[in-house]
């Protein structure tokens, strides 16, 4: 309730009124034009005469029969009438000509610029000028001091009455006239709108500027003008309706009494809402109903932020608006408009949802006062009843379920009532509010909502021929009880173990399971399949909650994974396509849960290797997803199967990585990586890639195919950047590699080389040669690295960075590389492997390069000589092997000579 200057308000009201009139009149003119064209097109076929009727076969008659009379002329023939035709009577032919057929009517042309200017725009501008002229005349008389305040108000009232009278007179003259309405501006409506705008301004000036009226009188008069404007809109069209509804809802802002009287305000708004909804129902103006709802919801906010909220009048406002919307706005219910069966109408659903939103705001702002909770419960229950009787309002079920969850969730996160009875007394700022004393009421509400949504959602199945309506009912029937149960668990059990809540979750799962079985036995109806899947999902979700409530935290991840497995198994028993997507959705939820807390249980992972919470938190979900993908794969390979398979591979890999990290860091999961960790990760990743390569040959799954490639790439990155660069014991870190033979070098370089070699053979013939040869090349690099690092371990001990490189060590590298190359050559000859022989050639070439680049400059004395001597001997021996064994040429047979 605020005061505003007279000039600004007057101009704003006038402009707003005529902008609304402009738009509405334009729409009305367009409708008249289209109606005229349609009538002309419907009348055109009446002018077209029917085509000639075919003559029946002439039957020969005796010569004594009298001749038939000649046919009458067409112009002298009377209008045809339906008669019975006997066998011996031949109807005269009807002669028609294409010249007599009238062409169809041509739709009226769009009005031109001049026509629009002369018939519409000048009228609108004239109406606006009239209203502004009245306002400016009053302003001028005030500034010039020509007339007193009383006379000014009196003249303003007379001018308003004159405009209203002119509008009514022009309307009646237009009604009496028999001339067809032209698509021009609605002059009576514009005059009446100008009159109501002047009346608003005059009454407000008498109240705000001159204090001629007390607030109550001004309030009543402005309200009467607004209601009268709405009533006049029945005759003058939507322009006055828009002006009336705006003026009616703005009136309480214009009149300030100094003390808020919410009862008077909301009783007045109830009358205005009823009038506006009634007009919208009679004229079928959706925009008017929506505008009224928006203003009504905005009027809920005054008083919500005060310390002592007046709950009763606010509750009356939302209840009255809800009831009026249900009676007059909801299609197919009581006095609302009609609608085809099976459709969800947006205005019907949103009107109820808007008032539910307002009731929710009152509950939250009043700290869950008892009266607010009762009003909210009544509105939610009434929403169920209205949606049951009128399918057009089914969309309001989602709003009711969401509002109920928000109310309980907000109540759950409030302060614990136990804090009020601490030994030191109540905490500062914490007092006994309604939230802390209404636990019983909240529990009763929870029972009502859970039973109401659940039972109604089940009974609504099969009542509609539309698929979306039973799905909405089943979705709210499943989601609402589960959401409320979670909120109660958080508020009362504080997210700790609670056997009573676990029992409630089991009972809820049993109810959902019984509903699922009952729906599977029913005849096929639209939406029943999806509803059955939703109830089945609710069963699994409730069981997962039961496990969560009964067990320690961390089991939530396992419970959700088991939900995916259970859904997949149910999809085998009940082949409902939607169940497959629900199994995939559970896998996605578990993955998101892992992303939130990779350690599953935070700091409580423990220090025990392998057998810790990581094994259960990752291992059981991995097993569940593998089993779920097996079940789902029996009925086809589609997107849900691939999602679950991807989750199975992901959790298997994460289990390995997390357990390796836990082992390498001693349970300190945030410690930096080490050579041991990289070595284990590389080996395990390569092993999993080999397993997937074998598995994909049988499954032919694209997920297994892509997963094998991804794991191979990950293994390559870990090997190159982790083992060869970041944690290389010869380059950067003083890592203790361990014993002479059994050490980290064996784990980090020799074993990965063997696994890479096996992986390269696993992909030969299945993938490209480049892919397989690249992996084989990695195996060669790591094998050579192992030989090199093992030689250095022999000379330098466990810390490879300690000490200088001697000539003997350099000579040993050359001998070791030569021996490795010769070994590869021998293997290549024995098994006839070209790749092994090429690898041997690469190693020997590298040895030759080392001899000429490093040994020649660093070795001295006997070591230099021995290095080149051994290299020469080996090279000659290799040449002999290639000539005599691998590529031996057979001598051509001698030519035979005759004796």
């Amino acid at each position: 309730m605020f005061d505003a200057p007279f000039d600004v308000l007057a101009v704003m009201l006038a402009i707003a009124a005529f902008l609304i009139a402009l738009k509405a009149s334009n729409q009305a003119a367009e409708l008249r034009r289209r109606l005229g064209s349609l009538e002309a097109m419907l009348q055109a076929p009446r002018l077209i005469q029917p085509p000639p009727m075919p003559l029946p076969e002439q039957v020969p008659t005796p010569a004594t029969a009298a001749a038939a009379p000649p046919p009458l002329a067409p112009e002298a023939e009377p209008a045809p009438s339906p008669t019975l035709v006997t066998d011996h009577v031949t109807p005269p032919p009807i002669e028609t000509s294409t010249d007599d057929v009238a062409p169809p009517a041509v739709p009226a042309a769009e009005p031109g610029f001049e026509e629009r200017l002369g018939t519409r725009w000048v009228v609108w501008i004239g109406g606006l000028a009239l209203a502004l002229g009245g306002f400016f005349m009053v302003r001028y008389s005030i500034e010039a001091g020509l007339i007193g305040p009383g006379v000014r108000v009196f003249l303003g009232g007379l001018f308003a009455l004159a405009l209203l009278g002119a509008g009514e007179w022009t309307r009646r003259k237009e009604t009496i006239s028999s001339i067809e309405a032209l698509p021009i501006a609605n002059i009576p409506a514009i005059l009446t709108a100008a009159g109501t705008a002047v009346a608003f301004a005059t009454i407000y000036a008498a109240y705000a500027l001159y204090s001629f009226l007390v607030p109550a009188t001004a309030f009543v008069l402005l309200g009467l003008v607004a209601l009268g404007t709405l009533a006049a809109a029945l005759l003058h069209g939507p322009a006055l309706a828009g002006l009336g509804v705006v003026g009616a809802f703005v009136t309480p802002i214009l009149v300030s009494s100094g003390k808020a009287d919410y009862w008077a305000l909301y009783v007045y708004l109830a009358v205005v809402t009823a009038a506006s909804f009634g007009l919208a129902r009679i004229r079928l103006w959706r925009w008017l109903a929506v505008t009224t709802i928006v203003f009504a919801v905005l009027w809920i906010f005054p008083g919500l932020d005060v310390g002592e909220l007046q709950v009763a009048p606010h509750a009356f406002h939302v209840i009255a608006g809800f009831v009026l919307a249900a009676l007059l706005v909801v299609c197919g219910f009581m006095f609302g408009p009609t609608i085809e069966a099976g459709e969800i109408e947006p205005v019907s659903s949103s009107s109820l949802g808007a008032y539910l939103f307002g009731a929710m705001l009152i509950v939250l702002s009043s700290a869950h006062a008892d009266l607010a909770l009762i009003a909210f419960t009544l509105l939610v229950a009434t929403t169920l009843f209205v949606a049951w009787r009128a399918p057009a309002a089914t969309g309001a079920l989602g709003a009711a379920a969401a509002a109920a969850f928000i109310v309980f969730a907000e109540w759950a996160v409030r302060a614990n009532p136990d804090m009020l009875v601490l030994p030191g007394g109540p905490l500062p700022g914490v007092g006994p509010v309604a939230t802390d004393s209404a636990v019983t009421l909240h529990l009763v509400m929870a029972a009502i909502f859970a039973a109401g949504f659940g039972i109604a959602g089940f009974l609504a199945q099969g009542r509609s021929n539309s698929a979306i309506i039973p799905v909405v009912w089943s979705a709210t029937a499943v989601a609402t009880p589960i959401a409320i149960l979670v909120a109660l668990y958080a508020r009362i059990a504080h997210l700790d173990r609670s056997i009573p809540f676990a029992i409630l979750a089991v009972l809820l799962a049993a109810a959902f399971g019984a509903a699922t079985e009952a729906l599977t036995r029913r005849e096929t109806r639209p939406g029943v399949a999806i509803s059955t899947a939703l109830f089945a999902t609710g069963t699994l979700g409730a069981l997962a909650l039961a496990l969560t409530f009964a067990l320690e935290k961390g089991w939530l991840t396992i419970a959700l994974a088991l939900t995916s497995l259970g859904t997949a198994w149910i999809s085998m028993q009940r082949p409902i396509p939607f169940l497959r997507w629900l199994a995939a959705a559970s896998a996605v939820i578990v993955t998101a849960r892992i992303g939130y807390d990779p350690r599953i249980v935070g700091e409580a992972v423990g220090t025990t290797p392998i057998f810790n919470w990581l094994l259960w938190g990752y291992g059981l979900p991995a097993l569940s997803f593998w089993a779920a993908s097996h079940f789902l794969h029996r009925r086809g390979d589609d997107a849900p199967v691939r999602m679950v398979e991807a989750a199975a591979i992901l959790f298997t890999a994460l289990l390995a990585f997390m357990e390796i990290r836990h082992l390498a860091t001693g349970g300190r999961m945030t410690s930096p990586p080490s050579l041991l960790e990289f070595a284990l990760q590389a080996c395990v990743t390569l092993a999993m890639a080999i397993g997937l390569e074998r598995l994909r040959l049988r499954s032919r799954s694209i997920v297994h195919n892509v997963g094998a490639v991804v794991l191979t790439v990950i293994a390559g990155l870990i090997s190159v950047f982790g083992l060869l660069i970041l944690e290389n014991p010869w380059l950067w870190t003083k890592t203790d590699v361990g014993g002479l033979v059994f050490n980290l070098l064996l784990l980090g370089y020799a074993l990965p080389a063997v696994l890479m070699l096996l992986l390269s053979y696993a992909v030969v013939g299945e993938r490209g040669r480049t892919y397989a040869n690249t992996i084989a090349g990695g195996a060669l690099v790591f094998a050579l690295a192992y030989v090199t690092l093992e030689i250095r371990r022999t000379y330098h001990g466990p810390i490879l960075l300690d000490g200088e490189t001697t000539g003997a060590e350099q000579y040993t590298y050359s001998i070791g590389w030569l021996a490795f190359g010769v070994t590869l050559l021998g293997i290549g000859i024995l098994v006839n492997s070209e790749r092994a022989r090429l690898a041997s050639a690469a190693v020997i070439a590298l040895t030759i390069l080392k001899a000429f680049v490093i040994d020649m400059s660093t070795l001295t004395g006997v070591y230099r000589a021995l290095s080149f001597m051994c290299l020469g001997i080996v090279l000659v021996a290799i040449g002999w092997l290639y000539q005599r064994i691998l590529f031996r040429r057979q001598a051509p047979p001698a030519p035979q000579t005759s004796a």
Side-chain angles (χ1 to χ4, degrees):
M1 297 132 177
F2 306 90
D3 297 327
F6 172 74
D7 299 340
V8 178
L9 178 64
V11 175
M12 290 177 61
L13 283 175
I15 293 175
F18 285 98
L19 286 178
I20 295 172
L22 185 149
K23 180 178 179 181
S25 299
N26 193 19
Q27 294 175 348
E30 181 67 18
L31 289 175
R32 289 194 188 99
R33 185 186 65 79
R34 294 184 179 182
L35 182 60
S37 301
L38 182 60
E39 289 177 350
M41 295 178 66
L42 292 176
Q43 291 176 359
R46 299 178 182 177
L47 302 176
I48 303 176
Q49 297 183 3
M53 298 177 61
L55 296 177
E57 287 189 25
Q58 297 292 334
V59 180
T61 56
T64 57
L72 296 176
E75 57 272 14
E77 188 177 22
S81 60
T83 57
L84 294 176
V85 180
T86 60
D87 294 339
H88 61 279
V89 178
T90 303
I94 301 176
E95 297 181 2
T96 59
S97 175
T98 57
D99 297 336
D100 298 333
V101 179
V106 180
E110 287 287 338
F113 172 76
E114 184 179 3
E115 183 179 358
R116 292 178 184 271
L117 179 65
T119 60
R120 303 182 188 182
W121 296 351
V122 294
V123 179
W124 294 329
I125 297 173
L128 179 60
L130 283 174
L132 292 178
F135 298 150
F136 293 148
M137 178 60 69
V138 174
R139 179 178 180 180
Y140 170 74
S141 66
I142 294 173
E143 293 175 350
L146 300 179
I147 54 178
V151 179
R152 298 170 196 163
V153 174
F154 178 73
L155 291 178
L158 286 180
F159 185 57
L161 290 176
L163 290 175
L164 293 174
E168 180 63 19
W169 181 81
T170 55
R171 185 191 68 81
R172 294 191 177 188
K173 295 292 291 183
E174 190 177 61
T175 304
I176 296 173
S177 174
S178 59
I179 301 176
E180 184 179 359
L182 298 176
I184 59 177
N186 193 337
I187 295 176
I190 291 177
L191 291 175
T192 307
T196 54
V198 174
F200 268 114
T202 302
I203 295 173
Y204 180 72
Y207 158 72
L209 298 182
Y210 310 124
S211 301
F212 290 159
L213 302 175
V214 297
T217 305
F219 184 82
V220 171
L221 290 177
L222 289 175
L224 290 176
V225 172
L227 294 176
T229 305
L230 288 174
L234 287 171
L235 301 175
H236 293 282
L240 280 182
L243 179 63
V245 72
V246 172
F249 280 100
V250 170
T251 294
I253 301 178
L254 302 179
V255 180
S256 175
S257 61
K259 182 179 179 181
D261 187 353
Y262 288 105
W263 274 114
L265 170 66
Y266 289 138
V267 169
Y268 163 77
L269 291 180
V271 176
V272 171
T273 302
S276 182
F277 281 167
L279 178 59
R281 170 63 186 90
I282 294 173
R283 300 300 295 269
L284 296 180
W285 288 339
R286 288 188 177 185
W287 64 268
L288 182 59
V290 173
T291 304
T292 303
I293 293 168
V294 171
F295 277 111
V297 172
L298 290 177
W299 271 113
I300 298 174
F301 287 92
L304 291 182
D305 56 345
V306 299
E308 296 181 0
L309 174 64
Q310 298 184 22
V311 178
H314 282 77
F316 166 78
H317 176 55
V318 295
I319 292 175
F322 185 94
V323 171
L324 290 172
L327 294 177
L328 299 174
V329 177
V330 175
C331 297
F333 183 78
M334 298 300 290
F335 308 107
T338 58
I339 192 175
E340 293 185 7
E343 293 186 11
I344 298 179
E345 204 274 320
V347 176
S348 301
S349 300
S350 59
S351 61
L352 301 183
Y355 286 105
L356 287 169
F357 171 75
M360 179 195 70
L361 290 180
I362 297 173
V363 172
L364 302 183
S365 300
S366 64
H368 295 243
D370 291 350
L371 181 59
L373 289 174
I374 294 173
F376 178 75
T377 305
L378 289 176
L379 291 188
V380 172
T382 308
T383 302
L384 292 175
F385 174 73
V386 174
W388 182 271
R389 296 290 304 274
T394 306
L397 294 175
F405 173 70
I406 292 174
V407 166
F408 280 93
E410 195 270 348
W411 179 68
V413 299
R414 283 180 174 267
N416 187 348
D418 296 338
M419 297 174 62
L420 302 176
V421 292
L422 291 176
L427 296 179
V430 178
V433 296
T435 301
D436 303 325
S437 61
V439 176
T440 303
L441 182 57
H442 281 81
L443 293 178
V444 172
M445 286 177 54
I448 294 175
F449 289 163
F453 279 96
I455 296 174
F458 172 74
L459 295 178
Q461 303 305 310
R463 296 182 67 247
S464 175
N465 293 325
S466 173
I468 186 62
I469 292 177
V471 170
V472 173
W473 275 103
S474 59
T476 55
V478 172
T480 306
I482 291 179
I484 292 176
L485 182 62
V486 172
L488 293 177
Y489 168 70
R491 178 64 178 85
I492 298 175
H494 316 294
L495 301 180
D496 290 332
R497 292 182 64 227
S498 176
I499 299 302
F501 274 100
I503 295 174
L504 289 176
V506 171
L507 294 177
L508 184 61
F512 286 152
T516 304
E517 284 299 315
L519 291 178
T520 55
R521 297 189 181 96
R522 291 188 180 182
E523 62 178 352
T524 303
R525 296 278 295 174
V528 172
I530 298 178
S531 299
T532 305
L534 288 173
F535 277 106
T537 305
T539 304
L540 299 174
L543 289 177
L545 287 178
L547 293 175
T548 304
F549 296 161
L551 304 173
E552 297 289 345
K553 60 182 180 179
W555 287 102
L556 176 60
T557 303
I558 299 173
L560 292 174
L562 293 176
T563 301
S564 178
L565 173 59
T567 307
W569 181 79
I570 292 176
S571 69
M572 292 293 300
Q573 311 302 318
R574 298 289 186 270
I576 303 172
F578 192 66
L579 285 175
R580 302 171 68 85
W581 284 103
L582 293 176
S586 299
V588 172
I589 294 174
V590 177
T591 305
R593 166 72 177 86
I594 291 298
Y596 173 75
D597 186 6
R599 294 177 297 179
I600 307 295
V601 289
E603 299 292 341
V605 175
T607 58
T608 305
I610 308 300
F611 297 100
N612 48 50
W613 251 107
L614 297 174
L615 178 62
W616 314 118
Y618 286 95
L620 289 180
L623 289 176
S624 298
F625 294 145
W626 282 114
S629 65
H630 175 71
F631 288 137
L632 295 175
H633 209 283
R634 292 183 179 179
R635 294 189 178 272
D637 185 9
D638 53 5
V641 176
R642 295 168 186 171
M643 293 172 65
V644 177
E645 287 179 341
I649 296 173
L650 175 64
F651 271 79
T652 303
L654 288 177
L655 171 63
F657 290 157
M658 296 300 290
E659 287 286 11
I660 288 171
R661 179 151 188 79
H662 183 274
L663 175 65
T665 59
R668 297 181 295 273
M669 306 292 289
T670 58
S671 300
S674 61
L675 177 61
L676 174 63
E677 181 177 352
F678 281 137
L680 291 173
Q681 286 180 349
C683 293
V684 171
T685 308
L686 288 169
M688 288 190 295
I690 295 172
L692 278 182
E693 290 289 352
R694 298 298 185 186
L695 180 61
R696 78 179 183 89
L697 297 179
R698 292 184 300 171
S699 65
R700 297 299 177 183
S701 170
I702 188 175
V703 176
H704 296 162
N705 187 9
V706 175
V709 175
V710 171
L711 288 176
T712 301
V713 172
I714 293 175
L717 295 175
I718 294 173
S719 301
V720 173
F721 292 99
L723 296 174
L724 294 181
I725 298 177
L726 296 178
E727 293 297 325
N728 192 321
W730 192 358
L731 296 180
W732 314 107
T733 61
K734 291 188 175 182
T735 304
D736 188 346
V737 299
L740 183 61
V741 177
F742 298 100
N743 49 35
L744 290 179
L745 302 178
L746 183 67
L747 181 64
Y749 297 92
L751 187 56
V754 174
L755 292 172
M756 289 179 187
L757 183 63
L758 295 176
L759 180 59
S760 67
Y761 277 103
V763 299
V764 169
E766 298 295 333
R767 301 189 186 273
R769 289 177 58 86
T770 303
Y771 186 83
N773 291 336
T774 301
I775 299 174
L780 178 62
V781 170
F782 269 78
L784 188 60
Y786 172 71
V787 172
T788 304
L789 293 175
E790 190 64 31
I791 292 174
R792 188 164 182 85
R793 166 64 183 81
T794 304
Y795 281 91
H796 293 266
I799 308 299
L800 302 187
L801 283 177
D802 292 347
E804 297 292 335
T805 303
T806 62
E809 182 181 347
Q810 284 287 5
Y811 173 72
T812 307
Y813 288 139
S814 299
I815 296 300
W817 289 7
L818 275 176
F820 180 56
V822 171
T823 303
L824 288 176
L825 179 60
I827 295 173
I829 294 173
L830 290 176
V831 300
N832 193 22
S833 173
E834 181 184 3
R835 290 201 302 170
R837 296 194 298 270
L838 292 176
S840 170
V843 173
I844 293 174
L846 183 62
T847 306
I848 295 172
L849 181 63
K850 176 183 180 296
F852 284 94
V853 174
I854 298 177
D855 293 356
M856 186 177 291
S857 60
T858 59
L859 296 180
T860 58
V862 68
Y863 288 117
R864 179 187 295 179
L866 289 175
S867 175
F868 280 91
M869 290 171 61
C870 291
L871 179 60
I873 295 172
V874 170
L875 292 177
V876 171
I878 292 173
W880 182 84
L881 288 173
Y882 270 85
Q883 293 175 8
R884 297 291 181 178
I885 300 177
L886 294 177
F887 300 102
R888 182 177 181 179
R889 296 181 182 273
Q890 298 291 338
Q896 297 180 356
T897 59
S898 58

